[in-house]
mmCIF file of all heavy atoms in Angstrom:
data_model
loop_
_atom_site.group_PDB
_atom_site.id
_atom_site.type_symbol
_atom_site.label_atom_id
_atom_site.label_comp_id
_atom_site.label_asym_id
_atom_site.label_seq_id
_atom_site.Cartn_x
_atom_site.Cartn_y
_atom_site.Cartn_z
ATOM 1 N N GLY S 8 0.782 -1.226 -0.002
ATOM 2 C CA GLY S 8 0.000 0.009 -0.012
ATOM 3 C C GLY S 8 0.787 1.287 0.021
ATOM 4 O O GLY S 8 0.309 2.304 0.362
ATOM 5 N N ASN S 9 2.065 1.187 -0.460
ATOM 6 C CA ASN S 9 2.908 2.412 -0.477
ATOM 7 C C ASN S 9 2.709 3.162 -1.794
ATOM 8 O O ASN S 9 3.408 4.171 -1.998
ATOM 9 C CB ASN S 9 4.355 2.018 -0.306
ATOM 10 C CG ASN S 9 5.200 3.224 0.095
ATOM 11 O OD1 ASN S 9 4.893 3.982 0.972
ATOM 12 N ND2 ASN S 9 6.303 3.378 -0.652
ATOM 13 N N GLY S 10 1.871 2.687 -2.695
ATOM 14 C CA GLY S 10 1.661 3.359 -3.965
ATOM 15 C C GLY S 10 2.808 3.120 -4.930
ATOM 16 O O GLY S 10 3.674 2.306 -4.691
ATOM 17 N N ASN S 11 2.769 3.846 -6.058
ATOM 18 C CA ASN S 11 3.790 3.650 -7.059
ATOM 19 C C ASN S 11 5.073 4.469 -6.788
ATOM 20 O O ASN S 11 6.116 4.188 -7.357
ATOM 21 C CB ASN S 11 3.229 4.087 -8.459
ATOM 22 C CG ASN S 11 2.192 3.130 -8.947
ATOM 23 O OD1 ASN S 11 2.290 1.930 -8.834
ATOM 24 N ND2 ASN S 11 1.111 3.706 -9.493
ATOM 25 N N ASP S 12 5.000 5.416 -5.850
ATOM 26 C CA ASP S 12 6.154 6.266 -5.558
ATOM 27 C C ASP S 12 6.934 5.625 -4.412
ATOM 28 O O ASP S 12 6.575 5.667 -3.231
ATOM 29 C CB ASP S 12 5.700 7.628 -5.117
ATOM 30 C CG ASP S 12 6.886 8.585 -4.921
ATOM 31 O OD1 ASP S 12 8.002 8.180 -5.299
ATOM 32 O OD2 ASP S 12 6.674 9.713 -4.396
ATOM 33 N N THR S 13 8.022 4.989 -4.765
ATOM 34 C CA THR S 13 8.874 4.283 -3.747
ATOM 35 C C THR S 13 10.214 4.999 -3.559
ATOM 36 O O THR S 13 11.148 4.429 -3.069
ATOM 37 C CB THR S 13 9.128 2.833 -4.158
ATOM 38 O OG1 THR S 13 9.789 2.848 -5.463
ATOM 39 C CG2 THR S 13 7.829 2.033 -4.234
ATOM 40 N N THR S 14 10.261 6.303 -3.972
ATOM 41 C CA THR S 14 11.525 7.042 -3.868
ATOM 42 C C THR S 14 11.992 7.111 -2.439
ATOM 43 O O THR S 14 13.177 6.860 -2.159
ATOM 44 C CB THR S 14 11.311 8.461 -4.470
ATOM 45 O OG1 THR S 14 10.921 8.365 -5.802
ATOM 46 C CG2 THR S 14 12.652 9.207 -4.393
ATOM 47 N N LEU S 15 11.091 7.452 -1.523
ATOM 48 C CA LEU S 15 11.518 7.577 -0.120
ATOM 49 C C LEU S 15 11.893 6.245 0.428
ATOM 50 O O LEU S 15 12.901 6.149 1.218
ATOM 51 C CB LEU S 15 10.317 8.178 0.685
ATOM 52 C CG LEU S 15 10.600 8.367 2.206
ATOM 53 C CD1 LEU S 15 11.825 9.311 2.401
ATOM 54 C CD2 LEU S 15 9.354 8.914 2.897
ATOM 55 N N LEU S 16 11.204 5.188 0.058
ATOM 56 C CA LEU S 16 11.525 3.824 0.538
ATOM 57 C C LEU S 16 12.940 3.438 0.074
ATOM 58 O O LEU S 16 13.743 2.904 0.848
ATOM 59 C CB LEU S 16 10.515 2.851 0.048
ATOM 60 C CG LEU S 16 10.378 1.505 0.813
ATOM 61 C CD1 LEU S 16 9.933 1.758 2.246
ATOM 62 C CD2 LEU S 16 9.370 0.589 0.111
ATOM 63 N N LEU S 17 13.252 3.737 -1.192
ATOM 64 C CA LEU S 17 14.549 3.423 -1.730
ATOM 65 C C LEU S 17 15.655 4.238 -1.096
ATOM 66 O O LEU S 17 16.727 3.733 -0.751
ATOM 67 C CB LEU S 17 14.581 3.614 -3.275
ATOM 68 C CG LEU S 17 13.708 2.635 -4.055
ATOM 69 C CD1 LEU S 17 13.574 3.133 -5.493
ATOM 70 C CD2 LEU S 17 14.350 1.259 -4.086
ATOM 71 N N SER S 18 15.342 5.517 -0.852
ATOM 72 C CA SER S 18 16.370 6.388 -0.218
ATOM 73 C C SER S 18 16.615 5.944 1.220
ATOM 74 O O SER S 18 17.732 5.954 1.700
ATOM 75 C CB SER S 18 15.881 7.845 -0.248
ATOM 76 O OG SER S 18 15.689 8.302 -1.577
ATOM 77 N N LEU S 19 15.519 5.546 1.944
ATOM 78 C CA LEU S 19 15.679 5.078 3.289
ATOM 79 C C LEU S 19 16.524 3.840 3.330
ATOM 80 O O LEU S 19 17.458 3.724 4.187
ATOM 81 C CB LEU S 19 14.295 4.787 3.845
ATOM 82 C CG LEU S 19 14.268 4.148 5.261
ATOM 83 C CD1 LEU S 19 14.871 5.063 6.337
ATOM 84 C CD2 LEU S 19 12.818 3.723 5.640
ATOM 85 N N PHE S 20 16.267 2.902 2.439
ATOM 86 C CA PHE S 20 17.052 1.659 2.448
ATOM 87 C C PHE S 20 18.504 1.954 2.148
ATOM 88 O O PHE S 20 19.378 1.366 2.779
ATOM 89 C CB PHE S 20 16.468 0.671 1.404
ATOM 90 C CG PHE S 20 17.194 -0.648 1.387
ATOM 91 C CD1 PHE S 20 16.804 -1.704 2.233
ATOM 92 C CD2 PHE S 20 18.290 -0.828 0.534
ATOM 93 C CE1 PHE S 20 17.497 -2.896 2.196
ATOM 94 C CE2 PHE S 20 19.005 -2.015 0.552
ATOM 95 C CZ PHE S 20 18.564 -3.108 1.382
ATOM 96 N N SER S 21 18.767 2.802 1.161
ATOM 97 C CA SER S 21 20.122 3.121 0.741
ATOM 98 C C SER S 21 20.917 3.696 1.927
ATOM 99 O O SER S 21 22.055 3.348 2.161
ATOM 100 C CB SER S 21 20.133 4.069 -0.460
ATOM 101 O OG SER S 21 21.420 4.456 -0.785
ATOM 102 N N PHE S 22 20.295 4.668 2.633
ATOM 103 C CA PHE S 22 20.992 5.287 3.730
ATOM 104 C C PHE S 22 21.242 4.293 4.880
ATOM 105 O O PHE S 22 22.341 4.258 5.436
ATOM 106 C CB PHE S 22 20.179 6.493 4.259
ATOM 107 C CG PHE S 22 20.835 7.141 5.424
ATOM 108 C CD1 PHE S 22 21.956 7.923 5.303
ATOM 109 C CD2 PHE S 22 20.284 7.020 6.696
ATOM 110 C CE1 PHE S 22 22.549 8.574 6.404
ATOM 111 C CE2 PHE S 22 20.871 7.655 7.813
ATOM 112 C CZ PHE S 22 21.995 8.402 7.624
ATOM 113 N N CYS S 23 20.233 3.511 5.212
ATOM 114 C CA CYS S 23 20.438 2.514 6.277
ATOM 115 C C CYS S 23 21.445 1.469 5.899
ATOM 116 O O CYS S 23 22.153 0.927 6.789
ATOM 117 C CB CYS S 23 19.054 1.873 6.629
ATOM 118 S SG CYS S 23 17.904 2.982 7.436
ATOM 119 N N TYR S 24 21.496 1.130 4.627
ATOM 120 C CA TYR S 24 22.468 0.176 4.135
ATOM 121 C C TYR S 24 23.894 0.733 4.336
ATOM 122 O O TYR S 24 24.838 0.024 4.765
ATOM 123 C CB TYR S 24 22.205 -0.058 2.637
ATOM 124 C CG TYR S 24 23.080 -1.081 1.948
ATOM 125 C CD1 TYR S 24 23.472 -2.234 2.616
ATOM 126 C CD2 TYR S 24 23.494 -0.899 0.632
ATOM 127 C CE1 TYR S 24 24.254 -3.188 1.924
ATOM 128 C CE2 TYR S 24 24.289 -1.837 -0.023
ATOM 129 C CZ TYR S 24 24.647 -2.976 0.642
ATOM 130 O OH TYR S 24 25.388 -3.891 0.018
ATOM 131 N N PHE S 25 24.049 2.020 4.057
ATOM 132 C CA PHE S 25 25.346 2.689 4.277
ATOM 133 C C PHE S 25 25.726 2.654 5.799
ATOM 134 O O PHE S 25 26.840 2.356 6.161
ATOM 135 C CB PHE S 25 25.285 4.081 3.797
ATOM 136 C CG PHE S 25 26.319 4.998 4.397
ATOM 137 C CD1 PHE S 25 27.664 4.876 4.081
ATOM 138 C CD2 PHE S 25 25.948 5.986 5.321
ATOM 139 C CE1 PHE S 25 28.615 5.734 4.644
ATOM 140 C CE2 PHE S 25 26.887 6.837 5.889
ATOM 141 C CZ PHE S 25 28.243 6.656 5.591
ATOM 142 N N VAL S 26 24.684 2.969 6.661
ATOM 143 C CA VAL S 26 24.969 2.984 8.098
ATOM 144 C C VAL S 26 25.354 1.601 8.576
ATOM 145 O O VAL S 26 26.277 1.411 9.388
ATOM 146 C CB VAL S 26 23.704 3.465 8.850
ATOM 147 C CG1 VAL S 26 23.852 3.284 10.351
ATOM 148 C CG2 VAL S 26 23.431 4.951 8.520
ATOM 149 N N GLY S 27 24.696 0.555 8.027
ATOM 150 C CA GLY S 27 25.038 -0.791 8.383
ATOM 151 C C GLY S 27 26.449 -1.160 7.963
ATOM 152 O O GLY S 27 27.159 -1.827 8.753
ATOM 153 N N ARG S 28 26.864 -0.798 6.811
ATOM 154 C CA ARG S 28 28.230 -1.084 6.381
ATOM 155 C C ARG S 28 29.266 -0.348 7.226
ATOM 156 O O ARG S 28 30.286 -0.941 7.597
ATOM 157 C CB ARG S 28 28.376 -0.731 4.850
ATOM 158 C CG ARG S 28 27.691 -1.685 3.914
ATOM 159 C CD ARG S 28 28.125 -1.399 2.476
ATOM 160 N NE ARG S 28 27.709 -2.453 1.578
ATOM 161 C CZ ARG S 28 28.118 -2.570 0.333
ATOM 162 N NH1 ARG S 28 28.911 -1.645 -0.185
ATOM 163 N NH2 ARG S 28 27.707 -3.596 -0.422
ATOM 164 N N LEU S 29 28.988 0.922 7.504
ATOM 165 C CA LEU S 29 29.979 1.661 8.302
ATOM 166 C C LEU S 29 29.954 1.138 9.718
ATOM 167 O O LEU S 29 31.067 0.902 10.281
ATOM 168 C CB LEU S 29 29.574 3.173 8.268
ATOM 169 C CG LEU S 29 30.624 4.140 8.719
ATOM 170 C CD1 LEU S 29 31.803 4.127 7.791
ATOM 171 C CD2 LEU S 29 30.029 5.546 8.813
ATOM 172 N N GLY S 30 28.840 0.944 10.308
ATOM 173 C CA GLY S 30 28.741 0.454 11.679
ATOM 174 C C GLY S 30 29.244 -0.976 11.810
ATOM 175 O O GLY S 30 29.839 -1.342 12.818
ATOM 176 N N GLY S 31 29.076 -1.750 10.733
ATOM 177 C CA GLY S 31 29.524 -3.138 10.759
ATOM 178 C C GLY S 31 31.052 -3.219 10.784
ATOM 179 O O GLY S 31 31.601 -4.327 11.058
ATOM 180 N N GLY S 32 31.726 -2.141 10.462
ATOM 181 C CA GLY S 32 33.170 -2.120 10.587
ATOM 182 C C GLY S 32 33.617 -1.594 11.916
ATOM 183 O O GLY S 32 34.457 -2.183 12.586
ATOM 184 N N ALA S 33 32.984 -0.531 12.355
ATOM 185 C CA ALA S 33 33.434 0.204 13.568
ATOM 186 C C ALA S 33 33.043 -0.533 14.881
ATOM 187 O O ALA S 33 33.867 -0.657 15.760
ATOM 188 C CB ALA S 33 32.900 1.618 13.547
ATOM 189 N N VAL S 34 31.808 -0.972 15.001
ATOM 190 C CA VAL S 34 31.301 -1.552 16.258
ATOM 191 C C VAL S 34 32.008 -2.893 16.570
ATOM 192 O O VAL S 34 32.551 -3.052 17.643
ATOM 193 C CB VAL S 34 29.792 -1.697 16.244
ATOM 194 C CG1 VAL S 34 29.333 -2.417 17.484
ATOM 195 C CG2 VAL S 34 29.087 -0.320 16.137
ATOM 196 N N PRO S 35 32.035 -3.798 15.601
ATOM 197 C CA PRO S 35 32.761 -5.075 15.923
ATOM 198 C C PRO S 35 34.271 -4.830 16.176
ATOM 199 O O PRO S 35 34.880 -5.554 16.945
ATOM 200 C CB PRO S 35 32.539 -5.889 14.660
ATOM 201 C CG PRO S 35 31.293 -5.391 14.072
ATOM 202 C CD PRO S 35 31.320 -3.936 14.346
ATOM 203 N N GLU S 36 34.838 -3.821 15.506
ATOM 204 C CA GLU S 36 36.251 -3.501 15.720
ATOM 205 C C GLU S 36 36.488 -3.141 17.172
ATOM 206 O O GLU S 36 37.502 -3.528 17.774
ATOM 207 C CB GLU S 36 36.668 -2.352 14.819
ATOM 208 C CG GLU S 36 38.149 -1.998 14.815
ATOM 209 C CD GLU S 36 38.986 -2.968 14.046
ATOM 210 O OE1 GLU S 36 38.413 -3.769 13.231
ATOM 211 O OE2 GLU S 36 40.229 -2.921 14.146
ATOM 212 N N TYR S 37 35.577 -2.382 17.788
ATOM 213 C CA TYR S 37 35.745 -1.972 19.192
ATOM 214 C C TYR S 37 35.640 -3.195 20.089
ATOM 215 O O TYR S 37 36.482 -3.399 20.968
ATOM 216 C CB TYR S 37 34.645 -0.951 19.549
ATOM 217 C CG TYR S 37 34.593 -0.681 20.994
ATOM 218 C CD1 TYR S 37 35.562 0.189 21.598
ATOM 219 C CD2 TYR S 37 33.664 -1.271 21.828
ATOM 220 C CE1 TYR S 37 35.482 0.479 22.981
ATOM 221 C CE2 TYR S 37 33.575 -0.997 23.211
ATOM 222 C CZ TYR S 37 34.499 -0.134 23.748
ATOM 223 O OH TYR S 37 34.470 0.088 25.129
ATOM 224 N N PHE S 38 34.644 -4.048 19.872
ATOM 225 C CA PHE S 38 34.434 -5.164 20.775
ATOM 226 C C PHE S 38 35.428 -6.320 20.576
ATOM 227 O O PHE S 38 35.691 -7.070 21.484
ATOM 228 C CB PHE S 38 32.998 -5.707 20.602
ATOM 229 C CG PHE S 38 31.982 -4.847 21.308
ATOM 230 C CD1 PHE S 38 31.270 -3.890 20.604
ATOM 231 C CD2 PHE S 38 31.757 -5.006 22.631
ATOM 232 C CE1 PHE S 38 30.340 -3.077 21.253
ATOM 233 C CE2 PHE S 38 30.803 -4.232 23.295
ATOM 234 C CZ PHE S 38 30.100 -3.278 22.613
ATOM 235 N N VAL S 39 35.978 -6.406 19.366
ATOM 236 C CA VAL S 39 36.974 -7.460 19.178
ATOM 237 C C VAL S 39 38.290 -7.073 19.920
ATOM 238 O O VAL S 39 39.035 -7.940 20.317
ATOM 239 C CB VAL S 39 37.225 -7.691 17.680
ATOM 240 C CG1 VAL S 39 38.136 -6.587 17.086
ATOM 241 C CG2 VAL S 39 37.879 -9.046 17.423
ATOM 242 N N ARG S 40 38.530 -5.776 20.083
ATOM 243 C CA ARG S 40 39.700 -5.335 20.758
ATOM 244 C C ARG S 40 39.504 -5.280 22.313
ATOM 245 O O ARG S 40 40.389 -5.602 23.071
ATOM 246 C CB ARG S 40 40.134 -3.985 20.255
ATOM 247 C CG ARG S 40 40.607 -4.040 18.827
ATOM 248 C CD ARG S 40 41.115 -2.691 18.305
ATOM 249 N NE ARG S 40 41.577 -2.819 16.947
ATOM 250 C CZ ARG S 40 42.716 -3.328 16.579
ATOM 251 N NH1 ARG S 40 43.574 -3.720 17.503
ATOM 252 N NH2 ARG S 40 43.079 -3.421 15.323
#
């Protein structure tokens, strides 16, 4: 039911994907040390 305009959904996923990649490097790096 999000309609045909999924621009915001795609932008949200893209940004969160970036946060996950960045955090997936920094957070485990802290705890592994």
Side-chain angles (χ1 to χ4, degrees):
N9 196 50
N11 292 318
D12 185 10
T13 58
T14 302
L15 181 58
L16 201 62
L17 291 168
S18 298
L19 173 65
F20 182 89
S21 177
F22 178 72
C23 291
Y24 184 39
F25 158 72
V26 171
R28 285 190 168 191
L29 196 65
V34 175
E36 186 79 11
Y37 171 79
F38 282 96
V39 79
R40 294 183 178 281

